[in-house]
């Protein structure tokens, strides 16, 4: 018996990193999964690796209302329903406020926050018609704490918390649960790119200060996301879940 037997999930940003891990883990737990991404070749390869009976890929830019309509329609066409949405797609741009191009700030908010809002908006009708569902929004530890150079990223991830709580209030009566997940450092392309631009940060010191003194593997986040997607989390909504190796538990001295 899988934790997600019979469930159908749409996962955004599924071509690599944590989205790819979520797709594989969800399929292993019995779900059928549609992954969306702007990286078509990588996304198709992930879906092919899982197998068409369990996973399909759809080209999906989360900032596009039209793409959202297609992604949700294709999910229902492929597997008959939609029970779970994981709003995982995200981008990070690192620059001090005074040096940041306003277009970059807007792009980060557009993908990380507006994209998440568009997704919730799109799945409410089919989830309501299907008797309910679970929406998992991927925020970050930067949804709880700011960081120099991450004004756009942090603002977008704080925003996801407010969106999650409001949506949970609104959608509870329809049987739709909405929660947010807040990973710390996870070894993905995003983390590697951030490490290259955030040259002032002492990476080794950062890791040593953590109660769990290492980066997470993506699947360690996938297990939490799968729990929230499953019926095991049936009384949990509007809540925030850290998976940060203890980073936010104290100052590390
Ligand atoms: N890696 C970390 O340490 C970390 C920590 C906390 C939170 N997060 C969050 O986890 C999520 C996944 O990040 P990751 O580390 O796997 O990064 P990643 O860069 O490896 O993967 C992100 C995926 O999102 C896709 N994407 C970007 N813009 C998109 C768009 N407009 N439409 C659809 N897809 C788009 C990318 O193509 C990519 O496949 C993000 O929301 C990120 O902010 C990451």
């Amino acid at each position: 018996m899988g934790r997600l037997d019979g469930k159908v999930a749409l996962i955004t940003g599924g071509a690599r990193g944590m989205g790819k891990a979520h797709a594989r883990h969800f399929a292993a737990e019995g779900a059928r999964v549609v992954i969306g991404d702007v990286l078509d070749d990588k996304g198709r390869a992930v879906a092919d690796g899982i197998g068409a009976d369990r996973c399909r890929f759809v080209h999906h830019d989360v900032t596009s209302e039209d793409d959202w309509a297609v992604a949700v329609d294709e999910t229902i066409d492929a597997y008959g329903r939609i029970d779970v949405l994981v709003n995982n797609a995200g981008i990070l741009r690192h620059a001090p406020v005074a040096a940041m191009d306003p277009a970059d700030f807007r792009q980060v908010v557009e993908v990380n926050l507006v994209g998440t809002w568009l997704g919730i908006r799109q799945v409410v009708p089919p989830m309501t018609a299907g008797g309910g569902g679970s929406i998992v929004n991927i925020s970050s530890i930067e949804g709880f704490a700011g960081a120099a150079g991450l004004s756009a990223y942090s603002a977008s991830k704080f925003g996801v918390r407010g969106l999650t709580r409001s949506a949970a209030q609104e959608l509870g009566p329809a049987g739709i649960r909405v929660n947010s997940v807040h990973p710390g450092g996870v070894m993905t392309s995003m983390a590697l790119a951030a490490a290259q631009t955030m040259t002032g940060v002492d990476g080794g010191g950062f890791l040593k200060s953590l109660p769990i003194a290492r980066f997470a593997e993506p699947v360690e986040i996938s297990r939490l996301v799968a729990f929230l997607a499953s019926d095991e989390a049936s009384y949990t909504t509007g809540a925030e879940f850290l998976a940060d190796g203890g980073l936010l538990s104290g100052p590390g001295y």
Side-chain angles (χ1 to χ4, degrees):
M1 284 283 285
R3 183 168 273 127
L4 297 172
D5 278 346
K7 303 273 189 210
V8 175
L10 173 60
I11 300 175
T12 68
R16 70 180 188 201
M18 273 185 263
K20 175 167 112 178
H22 300 340
R24 288 178 170 167
H25 187 68
F26 271 44
E29 287 285 359
R32 286 167 295 165
V33 184
V34 173
I35 53 172
D37 207 294
V38 291
L39 301 176
D40 294 341
D41 291 345
K42 281 184 188 294
R44 274 195 206 97
V46 172
D48 289 349
I50 295 171
D53 54 329
R54 288 262 150 228
C55 187
R56 307 275 175 93
F57 172 75
V58 60
H59 176 86
H60 179 200
D61 179 340
V62 296
T63 67
S64 160
E65 290 171 53
D66 290 345
D67 281 10
W68 268 112
V70 168
V72 172
D73 283 354
E74 289 209 4
T75 303
I76 294 167
D77 284 352
Y79 299 128
R81 50 188 295 113
I82 179 163
D83 304 291
V84 180
L85 170 64
V86 182
N87 277 310
N88 164 78
I91 59 171
L92 181 150
R93 299 280 179 270
H94 181 260
V97 174
M100 191 169 208
D101 185 333
D104 284 340
F105 184 92
R106 289 197 175 97
Q107 192 197 9
V108 171
V109 172
E110 192 71 21
V111 173
N112 296 359
L113 182 55
V114 180
T116 300
W117 183 83
L118 287 174
I120 296 171
R121 182 173 175 271
Q122 197 69 40
V123 299
V124 167
M127 280 188 183
T128 304
S134 171
I135 299 172
V136 184
N137 296 325
I138 307 301
S139 176
S140 170
I141 48 167
E142 270 87 25
F144 288 98
L150 293 183
S151 60
Y153 188 75
S154 182
S156 71
K157 296 298 190 180
F158 266 79
V160 168
R161 290 174 63 202
L163 171 57
T164 300
R165 290 175 177 217
S166 297
Q169 290 279 320
E170 210 174 291
L171 300 175
I176 302 171
R177 297 181 294 101
V178 192
N179 295 288
S180 60
V181 167
H182 301 262
V186 187
M187 239 336 134
T188 65
S189 306
M190 179 183 284
L192 292 170
Q196 283 182 346
T197 50
M198 297 169 74
T199 47
V201 176
D202 171 10
F206 163 77
L207 279 184
K208 274 192 205 143
S209 74
L210 297 177
I212 300 173
R214 60 173 175 82
F215 281 99
E217 294 297 329
V219 72
E220 295 183 276
I221 312 304
S222 305
R223 294 188 196 111
L224 174 56
V225 175
F227 166 71
L228 292 170
S230 79
D231 294 338
E232 289 176 329
S234 54
Y235 198 56
T236 298
T237 195
E240 296 155 347
F241 292 83
L242 284 164
D244 70 343
L247 175 70
L248 292 183
S249 61
Y253 53 75

XYZ file of all heavy atoms in Angstrom, residues 215-250:
261
model
N 23.672 19.572 4.075
C 22.548 19.890 3.201
C 21.571 18.713 3.201
O 21.951 17.578 3.486
C 23.031 20.115 1.768
C 23.633 21.483 1.551
C 25.006 21.664 1.565
C 22.818 22.579 1.335
C 25.560 22.920 1.373
C 23.364 23.837 1.141
C 24.728 24.010 1.163
N 20.321 19.014 2.836
C 19.330 17.934 2.673
C 19.447 17.329 1.287
O 19.815 18.014 0.322
C 17.922 18.492 2.855
N 19.121 16.049 1.182
C 18.871 15.437 -0.119
C 17.441 15.810 -0.506
O 16.559 15.850 0.367
C 18.980 13.911 -0.025
C 20.372 13.402 0.284
C 21.371 13.761 -0.815
O 20.963 13.848 -1.990
O 22.550 13.972 -0.476
N 17.173 16.047 -1.801
C 15.806 16.430 -2.201
C 14.710 15.501 -1.678
O 13.651 15.957 -1.252
C 15.895 16.409 -3.735
C 17.315 16.781 -4.022
C 18.130 16.127 -2.942
N 14.980 14.190 -1.659
C 13.918 13.264 -1.239
C 13.530 13.459 0.229
O 12.417 13.109 0.639
C 14.331 11.795 -1.523
C 15.428 11.331 -0.559
C 13.120 10.866 -1.456
N 14.412 14.050 1.018
C 14.060 14.297 2.426
C 12.949 15.341 2.531
O 12.207 15.374 3.516
C 15.304 14.729 3.211
C 16.356 13.640 3.297
C 17.554 14.059 4.133
O 18.453 14.728 3.580
O 17.574 13.732 5.332
N 12.865 16.214 1.525
C 11.753 17.172 1.461
C 10.528 16.482 0.841
O 9.390 16.697 1.271
C 12.148 18.411 0.637
C 13.519 18.960 1.068
C 11.056 19.485 0.744
C 13.657 19.305 2.532
N 10.775 15.617 -0.142
C 9.663 14.925 -0.821
C 8.809 14.135 0.172
O 7.585 14.065 0.034
C 10.199 13.945 -1.872
O 11.047 14.591 -2.777
N 9.454 13.529 1.171
C 8.688 12.709 2.133
C 7.698 13.572 2.918
O 6.581 13.148 3.216
C 9.635 11.980 3.083
C 10.494 10.948 2.375
C 11.284 10.107 3.374
N 12.346 9.408 2.684
C 13.653 9.672 2.820
N 14.066 10.584 3.676
N 14.545 9.005 2.132
N 8.118 14.775 3.272
C 7.224 15.699 3.989
C 6.092 16.163 3.067
O 4.921 16.208 3.477
C 8.036 16.896 4.502
C 7.270 18.040 5.151
C 6.420 17.549 6.322
C 8.253 19.119 5.628
N 6.443 16.479 1.836
C 5.432 16.929 0.873
C 4.403 15.814 0.648
O 3.193 16.064 0.604
C 6.104 17.358 -0.455
C 5.053 17.720 -1.503
C 7.041 18.548 -0.220
N 4.886 14.581 0.529
C 3.972 13.446 0.305
C 3.037 13.244 1.501
O 1.853 12.947 1.331
C 4.775 12.174 0.037
N 3.570 13.422 2.705
C 2.711 13.311 3.891
C 1.579 14.343 3.825
O 0.406 14.023 4.037
C 3.545 13.512 5.162
C 2.711 13.752 6.389
C 1.965 12.727 6.951
C 2.643 15.020 6.966
C 1.168 12.959 8.070
C 1.849 15.262 8.071
C 1.112 14.222 8.629
N 1.931 15.589 3.509
C 0.908 16.642 3.456
C -0.090 16.405 2.331
O -1.260 16.786 2.429
C 1.578 18.013 3.304
C 2.375 18.445 4.534
C 3.199 19.692 4.228
C 1.443 18.697 5.712
N 0.375 15.770 1.256
C -0.516 15.466 0.129
C -1.474 14.323 0.465
O -2.548 14.210 -0.117
C 0.313 15.088 -1.099
N -1.090 13.501 1.427
C -1.828 12.261 1.706
C -2.970 12.486 2.701
O -3.022 13.500 3.400
C -0.875 11.214 2.283
O -0.634 11.480 3.662
N -3.814 11.473 2.809
C -4.923 11.534 3.766
C -4.439 11.429 5.213
O -5.214 11.683 6.142
C -5.935 10.431 3.471
C -6.621 10.653 2.125
O -6.631 11.816 1.653
O -7.134 9.675 1.545
N -3.195 11.031 5.421
C -2.639 11.011 6.778
C -2.625 12.411 7.396
O -2.593 12.557 8.616
C -1.213 10.453 6.763
C -1.170 8.965 6.477
C 0.243 8.434 6.366
O 1.125 9.185 5.929
O 0.454 7.277 6.706
N -2.612 13.444 6.537
C -2.581 14.836 7.026
C -3.985 15.441 7.020
O -4.152 16.656 6.867
C -1.638 15.670 6.165
N -4.996 14.596 7.231
C -6.388 15.008 7.006
C -6.875 16.157 7.893
O -7.857 16.810 7.564
C -7.313 13.792 7.182
O -7.065 13.199 8.449
N -6.213 16.403 9.047
C -6.675 17.496 9.920
C -5.707 18.678 9.892
O -5.724 19.532 10.767
C -6.844 16.971 11.359
C -7.703 17.865 12.229
C -8.993 18.216 11.855
C -7.209 18.376 13.433
C -9.781 19.046 12.643
C -7.991 19.208 14.243
C -9.280 19.534 13.835
O -10.046 20.349 14.617
N -4.880 18.737 8.868
C -3.807 19.733 8.813
C -4.024 20.681 7.647
O -3.965 20.267 6.483
C -2.450 19.006 8.655
O -2.260 18.183 9.805
C -1.307 19.985 8.544
N -4.272 21.945 7.964
C -4.366 22.948 6.902
C -3.963 24.321 7.427
O -4.015 24.569 8.644
C -5.788 22.977 6.289
O -5.732 23.704 5.053
C -6.810 23.639 7.221
N -3.521 25.170 6.517
C -3.095 26.524 6.893
C -1.827 26.526 7.726
O -1.538 27.491 8.432
N -1.036 25.467 7.634
C 0.121 25.300 8.518
C 1.436 25.365 7.745
O 1.471 25.189 6.528
C 0.015 23.970 9.266
N 2.507 25.601 8.516
C 3.841 25.822 7.935
C 4.801 24.767 8.468
O 4.894 24.574 9.679
C 4.322 27.231 8.320
C 3.434 28.310 7.706
C 3.453 29.628 8.470
O 3.951 29.659 9.620
O 2.935 30.605 7.906
N 5.491 24.083 7.556
C 6.337 22.950 7.940
C 7.789 23.203 7.548
O 8.111 23.284 6.366
C 5.818 21.669 7.282
C 4.490 21.255 7.829
C 3.326 21.823 7.332
C 4.408 20.354 8.874
C 2.094 21.480 7.862
C 3.177 20.007 9.419
C 2.019 20.573 8.916
N 8.642 23.309 8.556
C 10.070 23.480 8.310
C 10.736 22.137 8.064
O 10.435 21.152 8.748
C 10.733 24.111 9.532
C 10.519 25.600 9.756
C 10.914 25.957 11.184
C 11.330 26.415 8.758
N 11.649 22.102 7.098
C 12.553 20.951 6.930
C 13.915 21.586 6.651
O 14.363 21.688 5.513
C 12.105 20.073 5.782
N 14.538 22.064 7.742
C 15.696 22.963 7.588
C 16.905 22.516 8.410
O 17.816 23.327 8.648
C 15.297 24.389 7.970
C 15.039 24.549 9.463
O 14.846 23.521 10.158
O 15.030 25.699 9.946
N 16.912 21.254 8.843
C 18.050 20.781 9.638
C 18.195 21.520 10.960
O 19.259 21.499 11.572
N 17.126 22.187 11.387
C 17.160 22.914 12.652
C 17.658 24.345 12.529
O 17.813 25.045 13.544
N 17.860 24.809 11.318
C 18.449 26.137 11.090
C 17.754 27.264 11.855
O 18.404 28.114 12.457
C 18.413 26.441 9.587
C 18.873 27.829 9.148
C 20.369 27.969 9.335
C 18.503 28.090 7.709
N 16.414 27.258 11.830
C 15.679 28.370 12.441
C 15.380 28.141 13.916
O 14.689 28.941 14.542
C 14.372 28.627 11.677
C 14.532 29.175 10.253
C 13.165 29.454 9.628
C 15.369 30.458 10.227
N 15.912 27.051 14.484
C 15.587 26.761 15.883
C 16.383 27.609 16.862
O 16.024 27.727 18.032
C 15.840 25.276 16.184
O 17.205 24.964 15.979
N 17.487 28.204 16.417
C 18.303 29.007 17.317
C 19.500 29.577 16.586
O 19.723 29.267 15.415
